[in-house]
């Protein structure tokens, strides 16, 4: 099929069935947990950017609430030659926001860019012999070996998201941000209305064609945009945001301050609930490229000094209604969770012992720069606790509290401290991101090719490869236990514990999906 022929199909997109012509419901006003500092979902693991990506882009497959992959942009696939040949056929009438059709070569370029950064994508492409676009609507994978998790990889809904963008943008190096947002999803980003630190605007894309079959569940099934416009209004003051929600001036606060949750739950017209049931897991990440954390023994000494209960009490208080608890490398309660190597986190805390371990490891008073996202309460809380731990250990600490957007830009700098580098920063990972080695970016040992932390560790990489080759769940679990033990032994990062973050929204919003913050299928009743 020629590109101009697909354009003819696209011209009819506005006339698709009622599922694609849902009546506009004016504007949804959303308060994200932090400002949208970075737009490209392939250069950052920032969750604000991930949520933005799920508005602006589409993916080949989607995940339902049970984490099962379903066709999304693809009509379906055929698998041949004992799993060594996959042919994915795109649905007809798919359009980018600039009006051009989504073609197979756009998909090929997008997936290559994604796989260069993503853990799951890298595992998939390690098994790929060739990926090609034999026609405008067919994407073909020739495999070196079977990879039955291919649909699951292409359905990945969180950092990094395998979004489909035009080939000309996907040609951008994966370490450089694309220069414009031309998406494939239900909403287009309105760049001219962007106000850094305050406002991001999305307009319903009339040319988007949802699936006509299936049930809306997580990112699977029909993705229907009921609102004409979505406005993200950044409100650094939690009380201001809560007051605006009670007054009906905003519709949804992604992550209300924990201290304000009981009050919001009692407010007329406000619903408090859970959108991300897998919870959020705190991490203090090391810069493994620079002293002192280029020394694994120093990293281990820090692990032994942090109290996860203290961390989670700082984040979530002591209200028993807020679920929280300890965490290892993999999501508590998930299929890969274990007790392997956990003694360093669970043994009684002893600062005097930790000081001795730090000295024995070779710490000699090197400066440590801890970056804190002060405008994100949970991140600020774990960083405050981490700063106090550093002081108890007599570490030469430079505590830099700034906005989360600034932190996200600075952590991309791998240079020494006197050139704007850093030593530690706090972050939270969704429980979804830590369910297995397929998703867990912070357990990679690929140095500069990995996320900011840049750990190099060949044994971790070998174990990860073995996990993908494991024949069944028990074998995967055994290897995951070894990955956890190794990650804790080399001090990949400091697990800070897990809690389940409530969300708050106007009670007249219906159709809210669970898994991650999503804006499709959401509508205002009455």
């Amino acid at each position: 099929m020629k590109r101009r022929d697909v354009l003819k199909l696209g011209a009819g997109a506005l006339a698709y069935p009622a599922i694609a012509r849902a009546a506009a419901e004016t504007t949804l006003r959303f308060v994200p947990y932090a400002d949208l500092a970075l737009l490209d979902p392939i250069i950052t693991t920032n969750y604000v950017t991930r949520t933005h990506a799920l508005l602006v882009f589409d993916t080949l497959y989607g995940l339902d609430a049970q984490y099962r992959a379903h066709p999304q942009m693809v009509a379906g696939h055929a698998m041949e030659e004992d799993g060594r040949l996959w042919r994915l056929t795109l649905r007809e009438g798919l359009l980018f926001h600039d009006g051009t059709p989504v073609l197979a070569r756009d998909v090929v370029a997008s997936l290559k860019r994604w796989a260069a950064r993503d853990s799951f994508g890298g595992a998939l492409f390690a098994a790929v012999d060739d990926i090609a676009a034999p026609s405008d609507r067919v994407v073909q994978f020739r495999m070196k070996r079977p990879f039955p998790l291919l649909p699951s990889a292409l359905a990945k809904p969180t950092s990094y998201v395998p979004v489909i963008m035009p080939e000309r943008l996907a040609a951008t190096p994966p370490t450089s941000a694309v220069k414009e947002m031309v998406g494939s999803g239900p909403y287009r980003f309105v760049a001219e209305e962007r106000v850094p630190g305050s406002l991001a605007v999305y307009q319903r894309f009339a040319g988007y064609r949802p699936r006509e079959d299936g049930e809306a569940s997580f990112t699977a099934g029909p993705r229907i945009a009921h609102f004409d416009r979505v406005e993200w209004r950044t409100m650094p003051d939690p009380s201001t945001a809560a007051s605006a929600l009670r007054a009906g001036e905003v519709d949804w606060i992604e992550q209300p301050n924990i201290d304000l949750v009981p009050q919001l739950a009692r407010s007329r017209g406000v619903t408090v609930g859970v959108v991300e049931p897998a919870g959020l897991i705190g991490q203090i990440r090391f810069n493994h490229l620079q002293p002192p954390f280029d020394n694994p023994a120093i990293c281990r000494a820090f692990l032994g000094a942090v109290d996860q209960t203290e961390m989670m009490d700082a984040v979530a208080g002591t209200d028993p209604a807020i679920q929280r608890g300890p965490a290892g490398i993999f999501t508590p309660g998930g299929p890969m969770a274990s007790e392997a190597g956990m003694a360093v986190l669970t043994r009684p805390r002893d600062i005097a012992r930790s000081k001795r371990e730090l000295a024995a490891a070779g710490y000699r008073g090197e400066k440590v720069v801890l970056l804190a996202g002060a405008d994100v309460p949970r991140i600020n809380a774990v960083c405050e606790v981490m700063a106090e731990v550093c002081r108890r250990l007599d570490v030469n600490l430079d505590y830099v509290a700034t906005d989360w957007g600034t932190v996200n830009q600075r952590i991309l700098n791998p240079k020494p401290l006197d050139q704007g580098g850093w030593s530690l920063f706090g972050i939270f990972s969704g429980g979804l991101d830590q369910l297995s080695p397929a998703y867990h970016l912070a357990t990679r040992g690929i140095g500069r090719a990995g996320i900011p932390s840049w750990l190099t560790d060949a044994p971790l990489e070998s174990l990860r490869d073995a996990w993908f080759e494991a024949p069944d769940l028990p074998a995967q679990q055994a290897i995951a236990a070894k990955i956890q033990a190794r990650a804790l032994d080399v001090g990949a990062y400091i697990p800070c514990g897990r809690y389940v973050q409530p969300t708050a929204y106007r009670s007249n919003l219906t159709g809210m999906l669970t898994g991650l913050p999503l804006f499709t299928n959401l509508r205002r009743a009455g």
Side-chain angles (χ1 to χ4, degrees):
M1 183 180 295
K2 295 180 180 179
R3 195 174 184 95
R4 62 175 177 270
D5 294 329
V6 183
L7 275 170
K8 292 177 184 177
L9 289 172
L14 297 181
Y16 271 93
I19 197 171
R21 301 196 312 268
E25 293 187 295
T26 64
T27 300
L28 176 76
R29 295 176 175 86
F30 172 73
V31 181
Y33 78 87
D35 185 48
L36 179 65
L38 299 168
L39 300 178
D40 186 343
I42 303 303
I43 67 162
T44 178
T45 59
N46 190 335
Y47 287 157
V48 174
T49 304
R50 172 212 62 196
T51 304
H52 152 87
L54 294 175
L55 263 170
V56 173
F57 295 98
D58 214 345
T59 54
L60 297 181
Y61 293 81
L63 284 189
D64 66 18
Q66 285 73 47
Y67 308 128
R68 296 173 299 200
H70 299 266
Q72 188 55 249
M73 294 181 80
V74 298
H77 64 252
M79 186 174 60
E80 304 172 14
E81 299 178 10
D82 296 325
R84 288 179 169 81
L85 178 65
W86 291 71
R87 290 192 181 92
L88 282 55
T89 302
L90 296 174
R91 291 190 288 120
E92 293 187 3
L94 300 178
L95 291 176
F96 287 117
H97 296 168
D98 61 2
T100 60
V102 177
L103 302 181
R105 64 175 178 264
D106 300 306
V107 172
V108 170
S110 296
L111 295 183
K112 286 181 177 179
R113 185 171 188 259
W114 161 70
R117 296 300 300 273
D118 183 67
S119 177
F120 208 168
L124 166 61
F125 270 66
V128 170
D129 188 35
D130 179 65
I131 178 173
S135 70
D136 282 349
R137 290 183 52 216
V138 174
V139 179
Q140 180 173 281
F141 290 83
R142 287 198 176 276
M143 312 300 293
K144 301 172 186 175
R145 56 186 179 275
F147 195 92
L149 293 177
L150 183 147
S152 296
L154 301 183
K156 185 173 184 281
T158 190
S159 312
Y160 303 94
V161 184
V163 300
I164 305 304
M165 60 180 62
E167 181 183 28
R168 63 183 176 82
L169 296 180
T172 305
T175 53
S176 300
V178 296
K179 300 300 184 184
E180 56 180 318
M181 284 286 103
V182 179
S184 50
Y187 284 91
R188 66 178 184 86
F189 179 69
V190 186
E192 59 270 24
E193 294 194 50
R194 167 72 173 142
V195 180
S198 176
L199 179 67
V201 175
Y202 304 86
Q203 196 75 27
R204 187 170 65 93
F205 177 51
Y208 178 74
R209 182 186 177 188
R211 291 198 68 86
E212 296 173 301
D213 61 339
E215 177 183 353
S217 178
F218 198 4
T219 58
R223 302 182 65 205
I224 305 173
H226 291 292
F227 288 93
D228 248 2
R229 180 179 169 95
V230 175
E231 295 179 357
W232 288 19
R233 298 182 172 274
T234 305
M235 295 184 178
D237 178 51
S239 296
T240 300
S243 296
L245 182 66
R246 287 194 297 269
E249 296 167 358
V250 299
D251 299 291
W252 183 6
I253 301 176
E254 181 182 7
Q255 296 178 9
N257 188 290
I258 291 293
D259 292 340
L260 299 175
V261 166
Q263 182 185 76
L264 286 171
R266 295 191 299 268
S267 298
R268 182 188 299 271
V270 173
T271 296
V272 172
V274 171
V275 166
E276 298 185 62
L280 295 166
I281 301 173
Q283 300 177 5
I284 297 293
R285 290 193 191 158
F286 301 110
N287 182 344
H288 291 279
L289 295 180
Q290 304 294 341
F293 300 117
D294 56 348
N295 180 343
I298 289 177
C299 298
R300 283 195 299 274
F302 271 73
L303 263 70
V306 171
D307 185 336
Q308 290 193 350
T309 298
E310 183 181 15
M311 286 281 193
M312 288 301 100
D313 283 352
V315 170
T318 57
D319 185 347
I322 307 297
Q323 301 176 45
R324 61 190 174 281
I329 296 299
F330 296 107
T331 305
M336 300 300 145
S338 75
E339 293 301 313
M342 289 288 287
V344 68
L345 296 175
T346 59
R347 68 185 184 183
R349 303 295 88 177
D350 184 336
I351 288 296
R353 179 185 61 209
S354 294
K355 283 183 178 181
R356 293 192 298 271
E357 291 174 347
L358 199 55
Y363 179 68
R364 298 293 182 265
E366 294 93 339
K367 184 178 178 180
V368 168
V369 174
L370 169 57
L371 304 180
D375 57 335
V376 183
R378 66 175 184 272
I379 294 175
N380 184 64
V382 295
C383 288
E384 289 281 353
V385 174
M386 191 68 230
E388 182 57 30
V389 170
C390 289
R391 295 182 187 109
R392 294 173 194 161
L393 293 173
D394 297 329
V395 167
N396 179 12
L397 178 66
D398 182 5
Y399 185 58
V400 180
T402 184
D403 65 279
W404 183 231
T406 298
V407 172
N408 271 275
Q409 294 177 36
R410 184 165 175 180
I411 61 175
L412 298 177
N413 181 3
K415 296 179 181 178
L417 302 187
D418 60 3
Q419 298 179 47
W422 56 277
S423 309
L424 300 168
F425 74 96
I427 192 170
F428 273 75
S429 174
L432 178 62
D433 291 86
Q434 296 188 204
L435 277 176
S436 80
Y439 281 13
H440 202 333
L441 298 174
T443 61
R444 298 301 306 275
I446 52 177
R448 287 292 301 275
I451 59 173
S453 185
W454 304 305
L455 173 67
T456 298
D457 190 70
L460 273 176
E461 288 300 293
S462 295
L463 286 167
R464 176 179 170 274
D465 291 343
W467 185 88
F468 280 105
E469 298 290 336
D472 51 33
L473 180 60
Q476 287 182 329
Q477 290 172 325
I479 296 170
K482 293 179 181 179
I483 290 174
Q484 173 163 289
R486 178 66 185 179
L488 294 172
D489 187 52
V490 299
Y493 65 91
I494 303 174
C496 301
R498 170 183 174 268
Y499 83 108
V500 178
Q501 169 68 50
T503 197
Y505 53 93
R506 297 295 301 174
S507 299
N508 62 356
L509 290 183
T510 64
M512 186 168 290
L513 300 172
T514 60
L516 294 172
L518 301 166
F519 298 84
T520 50
N521 304 293
L522 188 64
R523 63 193 313 164
R524 184 177 288 119

